[in-house]
């Protein structure tokens, strides 16, 4: 396949930086481009999945929405890695806490992701492949997050295929017992796709809600915590 791809309208790989930050929401991508990057150029609006390239502290960085869930986001991960010479994708998003000690607005860095997704069914027969991030990027993010004094947790996340339906009885409890930190919907697909192409990936989250505690949030605090996560991602990009 040649560029432009079916879902990204950039006509040259130069329009996209080697590192792409990817929130689920394309308007978040626009917000980041407008508020954190200099000399911004838009490279995509196909299907409303806005993508921008600009400079952060002199470093060329792109930011683009991925949509929600593994099937949507994997279309973009595949096309960016395979056709636009992208080397690194950093997913930035929100996640629901599954542990009492992981509080609203904490930062979670995904050391691995588990999922009920069937994307691997024909790849590894009966072996349950465990997708992992790039270790150097993980280490860099962990050190930078601590340096910035963010409350930071590293561990496995659940990349769920469903937002609304509950997991079967006992499964949620088992995931908690075995130390899964939080639930989101894309990282398993990102880590798989990066491994497929021998590229680098990392998922960083801010906790937006809790599946184990009643929590009340304010718009202001939510904004601050999202900003912290964006800062972290831009610093390691
Ligand atoms: N489920 C899935 N994804 C999420 C959630 C959730 O509860 N919260 C934030 N992202």
């Amino acid at each position: 396949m040649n560029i432009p791809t079916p879902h990204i309208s950039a006509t040259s790989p130069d329009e996209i930086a080697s590192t792409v930050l990817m929130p689920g929401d394309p308007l978040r991508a626009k917000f980041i481009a407008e508020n954190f990057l200099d000399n911004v150029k838009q490279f995509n609006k196909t299907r409303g999945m806005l993508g921008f390239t600009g400079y952060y502290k002199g470093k060329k960085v792109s930011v683009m929405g991925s949509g929600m869930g593994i099937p949507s986001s994997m279309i973009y991960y595949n096309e960016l890695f395979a056709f636009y010479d992208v080397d690194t994708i950093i997913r930035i998003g929100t996640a629901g806490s599954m542990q009492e000690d992981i509080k609203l607005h904490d930062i979670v860095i995904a050391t691995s992701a588990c999922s009920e997704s069937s994307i691997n069914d024909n790849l590894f027969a009966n072996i349950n492949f465990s997708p992992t991030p790039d270790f150097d990027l993980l280490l860099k993010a962990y050190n930078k997050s601590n340096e910035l004094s963010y409350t930071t947790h590293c561990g496995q996340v659940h990349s769920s295929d469903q937002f609304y339906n509950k997991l079967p009885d006992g499964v949620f409890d088992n995931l908690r017992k075995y130390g899964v930190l939080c639930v989101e919907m894309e990282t398993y697909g990102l880590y798989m796709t990066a491994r497929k192409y021998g590229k680098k990936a990392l998922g960083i989250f801010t906790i937006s809600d809790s599946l184990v505690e009643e929590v009340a949030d304010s718009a202001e605090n939510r904004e601050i915590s999202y900003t912290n996560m964006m800062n972290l991602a831009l610093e390691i990009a």
Side-chain angles (χ1 to χ4, degrees):
M1 198 198 306
N2 283 323
I3 55 173
T5 60
H7 308 95
I8 303 175
S9 53
T11 52
S12 158
D14 291 347
E15 290 180 47
I16 304 180
S18 63
T19 296
V20 184
L21 269 48
M22 298 192 76
D25 180 355
L27 292 179
R28 282 280 182 195
K30 186 166 186 264
F31 176 87
I32 295 166
E34 284 172 352
N35 291 281
F36 291 84
L37 302 183
D38 303 319
N39 293 326
V40 173
K41 286 207 178 88
Q42 186 169 338
F43 67 80
N44 195 58
K45 61 174 192 226
T46 304
R47 287 181 185 251
M49 204 55 78
L50 308 177
F52 306 86
T53 298
Y55 291 81
Y56 177 76
K57 297 185 180 171
K59 204 167 41 181
K60 187 174 174 185
V61 181
S62 292
V63 52
M64 181 182 180
S66 69
M68 289 175 281
I70 290 169
S72 168
S73 59
M74 272 183 70
I75 289 173
Y76 300 104
Y77 305 149
N78 267 285
E79 292 184 9
L80 289 168
F81 282 140
F83 304 112
Y84 287 98
D85 294 343
V86 168
D87 175 62
T88 302
I89 294 178
I90 302 173
R91 162 159 161 67
I92 50 176
T94 56
S97 173
M98 292 170 58
Q99 304 287 346
E100 282 86 357
D101 65 332
I102 300 194
K103 302 292 187 192
L104 222 52
H105 312 311
D106 285 1
I107 294 278
V108 170
I109 303 172
T111 58
S112 175
C114 59
S115 184
E116 66 274 49
S117 162
S118 59
I119 57 166
N120 279 342
D121 284 4
N122 300 320
L123 271 180
F124 304 109
N126 64 339
I127 295 168
N128 293 315
F129 185 85
S130 303
T132 51
D134 179 76
F135 184 72
D136 290 338
L137 199 55
L138 170 77
L139 198 59
K140 203 167 158 188
Y142 180 70
N143 289 336
K144 180 54 80 175
S145 193
N146 283 316
E147 191 186 311
L148 293 166
S149 303
Y150 301 160
T151 305
T152 311
H153 309 268
C154 285
Q156 182 161 183
V157 304
H158 173 212
S159 299
S160 179
D161 267 353
Q162 305 199 64
F163 188 84
Y164 287 109
N165 290 345
K166 281 193 167 161
L167 291 168
D169 281 353
V171 173
F172 180 71
D173 294 335
N174 281 337
L175 290 177
R176 272 167 50 71
K177 185 173 154 195
Y178 282 71
V180 174
L181 303 185
C182 60
V183 59
E184 53 84 60
M185 299 185 73
E186 294 83 14
T187 299
Y188 183 82
L190 173 60
Y191 288 1
M192 284 298 304
T193 312
R195 293 293 170 195
K196 175 180 171 188
Y197 295 108
K199 305 278 181 130
K200 298 177 204 160
L202 186 66
I204 302 172
F205 309 94
T206 174
I207 297 296
S208 60
D209 54 279
S210 173
L211 281 66
V212 291
E213 275 185 327
E214 283 283 326
V215 285
D217 200 3
S218 72
E220 193 191 352
N221 283 339
R222 202 164 42 236
E223 206 52 52
I224 292 168
S225 66
Y226 209 94
T227 304
N228 287 347
M229 177 182 57
M230 290 188 279
N231 254 331
L232 173 59
L234 285 163
E235 284 292 325
I236 65 159

